[in-house]
Amino acid sequence: MKQPSFTIKTFGCQMNVRDSEIMAQLLAEKGYVESMEMKDADVVILNTCSIRAKAEQKAMSLLGALRKVKKRRPGMKICVAGCVAQQEGEEICRRMDYVDLVIGTQNLYELVDLLESVDGTSKVATSMSNSYEIPAFIPSMPSLTSPGGPQGATPAPSVRKFLTIMQGCNNYCTYCVVPYTRGREISRKVNDIIEEARVLVDAGVQEITLLGQNVNSYGRTNSVTAEGGEYSFALLLREVAAIEGLKRLRFTTSNPKDLSPDLMRCFSEIETLCPQFHLPVQSGSNIVLSKMNRKYTRELYLQKVAELRSFRPDISLSTDVIVGFPGETEADFEQTMEILEDVRFHSSFSFKYSDRPGTRSADFDDKVDEQVKSERLSRFQKRQDQICLEQNSLYVGKILPVMIEKVTDDGLMGRTETNHIVHIKEIIECSPGDIVSVTINHAGQHSLNGRIDSSNQ
Ligand code: 5AD
Ligand code: SF4
């Protein structure tokens, strides 16, 4: 009998990339085979993201387009997963009766059973636990294959893997949907994380990125050791770094309010911890930060950046920024521009504020005009692009260790410790995962170019 095929389209963040891996793993265990072609797969899963309105629209428009495909092939099963599914379960089925299954962020483990019980009417499974017990949806074992990454992106190569250390978020930033779509902040047990990391390294993974909405508060809301003792993210980093054979360690993402000196010290003490930090600032205005419920000020943010740089002067910093938060004045926005000048981020992700269902800021009545938001966003991005280029130019002439990710007929693609992509138009004998010395000879806004240093020959 022919094996059923599936395809997963992933939208949004790394959390979703990891969830897609889990779904792929569950399906593969039951004999499903992955197909890259959505048009002939027996099961199509859209793993949606609702963090911003645009991310949600992208998923919903693909879902709309699937109506026609389903008409041609009524046997195909359509499943909507992820944060939009969690929040809009019933509504999706009401508006799109051709959807077979809507599965929430905490029901992933029921995926195969639910898919097999589908009978022509839409099914919804979106339960959300309120407890701090570590639930079954947190997987104990990694998948060693990678399904397709976010739309348009290539799948993560297997020398680099994500490892989820915690789920959910308790911070309730007023604009953010995550506490509602992913539930309470729950940390996985230290031993489970170490075991998973070991399995990855034994399978040839060279670089691990520890994942959580706010990794700095790892171990704070539930006990993570067998003895029930105290624990911290800095300790976890040290334990993972001690795994023999692991070449590079990264993590994401952090809330500045929880960035401790202990964690900063790790950057000068753990050799394999890459000098790269994603530290979302969101706004440079204290008034806006307070309305966002971020629980830090611009002064504290700048102080933490300075401290971090004192531990690791070559650290590359990236950030997230929201422009046009309700009530943001021109003066508030100017303060965000000032932060950009003060910190000189190596890169940033910037977004226009959008209302998200259920969040507190959706009810604020001082919304900023769409055109003003667009104008501020483009001003911010233009300046950030210049700074990216200026920062990247500082690498020209340097010899950097680059981990190779891709070997093609044209040359090599790799990544520096600071997370910069490097293109090398040379062919040498090497494989993904090898670390080679590269002389950087050109800097672009988003990547570097280099040639193999003679020390490798
Ligand atoms: N509007 C715009 N951007 C948002 N983000 C989160 N919620 C919203 C929203 N409602 C951004 C933040 C966050 C990133 C993942 O998405 O900058 O850090
Ligand atoms: Fe959302 Fe704030 Fe939690 Fe980040 S820290 S996931 S922005 S609520």
Side-chain angles (χ1 to χ4, degrees):
M1 203 180 81
K2 186 179 159 281
Q3 287 171 300
S5 60
F6 71 94
T7 191
I8 305 178
K9 292 284 168 207
T10 309
F11 298 84
C13 63
Q14 290 114 329
M15 286 284 174
N16 270 14
V17 174
R18 179 69 191 112
D19 283 350
S20 291
E21 282 187 350
I22 295 165
M23 288 191 278
Q25 191 177 4
L26 293 170
L27 287 162
E29 277 164 13
K30 293 285 167 156
Y32 287 71
V33 289
E34 187 164 8
S35 148
M36 287 302 156
E37 287 295 327
M38 191 155 62
K39 62 177 185 3
D40 38 50
D42 299 309
V43 175
V44 174
I45 300 174
L46 302 192
N47 193 6
T48 61
C49 169
S50 63
I51 191 94
R52 295 173 298 275
K54 221 171 167 181
E56 177 165 343
Q57 281 150 15
K58 265 197 208 161
M60 296 319 269
S61 81
L62 180 57
L63 187 56
L66 282 175
R67 178 192 290 271
K68 275 196 193 140
V69 184
K70 176 107 178 183
K71 269 218 171 104
R72 280 201 308 275
R73 287 199 303 119
M76 177 178 84
K77 292 177 184 170
I78 299 178
C79 168
V80 185
C83 290
V84 180
Q86 182 65 45
Q87 271 202 306
E88 314 268 334
E90 301 288 346
E91 180 63 13
I92 291 172
C93 296
R94 205 182 49 74
R95 281 180 24 220
M96 298 164 175
D97 59 359
Y98 55 96
V99 170
D100 296 282
L101 176 64
V102 178
I103 190 163
T105 52
Q106 299 194 355
N107 297 76
L108 285 193
Y109 271 68
E110 299 159 52
L111 175 71
V112 180
D113 285 347
L114 286 168
L115 267 178
E116 291 184 350
S117 70
V118 154
D119 58 4
T121 54
S122 309
K123 276 208 158 76
V124 182
T126 53
S127 57
M128 175 62 69
S129 158
N130 268 331
S131 106
Y132 282 101
E133 288 295 303
I134 300 178
F137 66 82
I138 296 187
S140 59
M141 268 306 124
S143 80
L144 295 166
T145 56
S146 298
Q151 289 255 298
T154 46
S158 60
V159 291
R160 306 173 63 226
K161 287 302 245 181
F162 294 132
L163 197 170
T164 304
I165 63 163
M166 58 209 291
Q167 292 263 156
C169 183
N170 282 356
N171 283 326
Y172 290 94
C173 299
T174 53
Y175 52 80
C176 187
V177 84
V178 169
Y180 312 100
T181 60
R182 294 210 171 247
R184 297 257 163 109
E185 180 178 299
I186 302 168
S187 302
R188 288 178 64 197
K189 295 269 185 207
V190 183
N191 286 348
D192 291 345
I193 295 171
I194 302 298
E195 196 187 334
E196 181 168 339
R198 270 214 194 97
V199 170
L200 289 172
V201 173
D202 287 348
V205 170
Q206 320 266 7
E207 178 182 307
I208 290 179
T209 302
L210 303 180
L211 277 187
Q213 300 295 345
N214 184 19
V215 293
N216 300 6
S217 61
Y218 174 78
R220 291 231 189 112
T221 49
N222 60 302
S223 162
V224 292
T225 62
E227 306 75 35
E230 285 204 0
Y231 213 78
S232 74
F233 182 55
L235 280 173
L236 179 72
L237 269 183
R238 288 176 196 276
E239 284 219 34
V240 177
I243 295 173
E244 209 166 314
L246 179 63
K247 290 194 192 154
R248 289 183 172 183
L249 180 57
R250 304 182 196 270
F251 60 83
T252 195
T253 190
S254 306
N255 187 317
K257 78 179 169 61
D258 298 315
L259 173 51
S260 67
D262 258 1
L263 178 55
M264 296 190 202
R265 197 165 308 113
C266 291
F267 281 96
S268 62
E269 292 178 359
I270 303 178
E271 215 179 307
T272 47
L273 183 62
C274 292
Q276 172 225 337
F277 207 118
H278 184 64
L279 195 60
V281 65
Q282 311 298 2
S283 169
S285 152
N286 284 340
I287 300 170
V288 175
L289 286 172
S290 160
K291 282 182 74 176
M292 287 177 164
N293 192 32
R294 290 291 286 177
K295 302 194 182 90
Y296 56 85
T297 58
R298 62 176 284 132
E299 291 77 17
L300 190 74
Y301 184 89
L302 289 172
Q303 188 192 320
K304 296 218 174 192
V305 165
E307 231 178 307
L308 197 49
R309 281 181 167 153
S310 73
F311 283 103
R312 192 73 208 236
D314 61 338
I315 200 159
S316 88
L317 293 175
S318 57
T319 199
D320 289 345
V321 159
I322 299 177
V323 304
F325 186 78
E328 184 190 73
T329 62
E330 191 55 30
D332 292 321
F333 174 67
E334 277 304 328
Q335 292 201 302
T336 301
M337 293 296 286
E338 268 173 35
I339 285 260
L340 191 52
E341 301 301 331
D342 287 341
V343 180
R344 296 180 61 78
F345 297 102
H346 280 77
S347 66
S348 66
F349 301 91
S350 46
F351 313 102
K352 283 194 276 186
Y353 167 81
S354 55
D355 280 339
R356 302 286 59 222
T359 59
R360 272 164 57 203
S361 62
D363 292 332
F364 292 176
D365 54 13
D366 44 1
K367 300 281 157 57
V368 174
D369 188 75
E370 231 12 75
Q371 233 182 329
V372 173
K373 283 196 258 184
S374 301
E375 186 272 325
R376 285 181 189 163
L377 185 69
S378 88
R379 244 197 298 161
F380 181 90
Q381 291 181 338
K382 209 165 145 202
R383 183 63 190 128
Q384 175 67 64
D385 281 350
Q386 290 166 342
I387 292 176
C388 284
L389 192 57
E390 288 160 16
Q391 290 287 54
N392 287 352
S393 301
L394 300 177
Y395 294 113
V396 175
K398 295 216 159 103
I399 302 171
L400 302 177
V402 171
M403 185 184 282
I404 300 301
E405 289 181 13
K406 237 193 240 164
V407 181
T408 67
D409 294 342
D410 296 334
L412 313 167
M413 189 279 269
R415 198 177 290 265
T416 62
E417 290 174 338
T418 49
N419 210 25
H420 290 78
I421 299 281
V422 183
H423 298 285
I424 306 153
K425 281 212 156 39
E426 270 174 87
I427 316 277
I428 58 161
E429 207 166 296
C430 67
S431 321
D434 289 349
I435 296 183
V436 294
S437 292
V438 174
T439 308
I440 304 302
N441 55 17
H442 179 265
Q445 245 161 40
H446 304 294
S447 64
L448 305 170
N449 289 47
R451 60 188 148 69
I452 303 292
D453 186 65
S454 53
S455 63
N456 294 292
Q457 270 113 44

